[in-house]
Amino acid sequence: ETGVTQSPTHLIKTRGQQVTLRCSSQSGHNTVSWYQQALGQGPQFIFQYYREEENGRGNFPPRFSGLQFPNYSSELNVNALELDDSALYLCASSGRDKGTDTQYFGPGTRLTVL
Amino acid sequence: AQRVTQPEKLLSVFKGAPVELKCNYSYSGSPELFWYVQYSRQRLQLLLRHISRESIKGFTADLNKGETSFHLKKPFAQEEDSAMYYCALSAANRDDKIIFGKGTRLHILP
């Protein structure tokens, strides 16, 4: 059973640019959730995808968008980057249909916006 | 408002002493409560959840609905317990968003 993986590990962008972060779910999981963790804070829920459909969204502006693919991997896209978007971005997968809702986290992508 | 509060940013405890990490929550409804842990250079992982009522690595947590608390306890701290601990909640019986507290860093002193 493979764990959740994320790429890239680190990323540096400038204000106004766009970024795409990627997540591969744990084998057999069909639900992916994305979180933003600013320095010194706990993770904050961005949105969740279940079987390729958005299934809940946190308090983030529309410039944060996502996709889930048929193999259940996922992307987080952020447009018009702002300095405050600098954070660790975590994805977590879970297997809703398997009767378990435990979310397994990836190692994160550290985004720095200059 | 849905909120998880961990009042201590840092807790230092001597090895062998008891540990209590505090967590209070605010939620309209019946939440499910969790403790997540992040050891140095490792990913965030689930430590325990209140519905399981189990002890993991010697840690236990009891949900007190009257006080809206879910404190994490261990009778005898070990050096390997040093880590960042996050209290969290989600809607019961749903694979849903998780609301995290800001975390408490537990430092076990030799």
Side-chain angles (χ1 to χ4, degrees), chain A residues 63-77:
Chain A
R63 58 190 185 83
F64 284 78
S65 63
L67 278 175
Q68 188 180 30
F69 300 100
N71 66 355
Y72 302 131
S73 66
S74 178
E75 284 182 357
L76 164 66
N77 298 290

Side-chain angles (χ1 to χ4, degrees), chain A residues 23 29 31 56 89 112:
Chain A
C23 171
H29 286 180
T31 303
Y89 288 85
T112 302

Side-chain angles (χ1 to χ4, degrees), chain A residues 56-95:
Chain A
R57 189 178 181 91
N59 191 25
F60 280 81
R63 58 190 185 83
F64 284 78
S65 63
L67 278 175
Q68 188 180 30
F69 300 100
N71 66 355
Y72 302 131
S73 66
S74 178
E75 284 182 357
L76 164 66
N77 298 290
V78 187
N79 293 323
L81 283 167
E82 301 176 0
L83 296 179
D84 284 350
D85 295 334
S86 294
L88 181 68
Y89 288 85
L90 299 169
C91 79
S93 75
S94 51

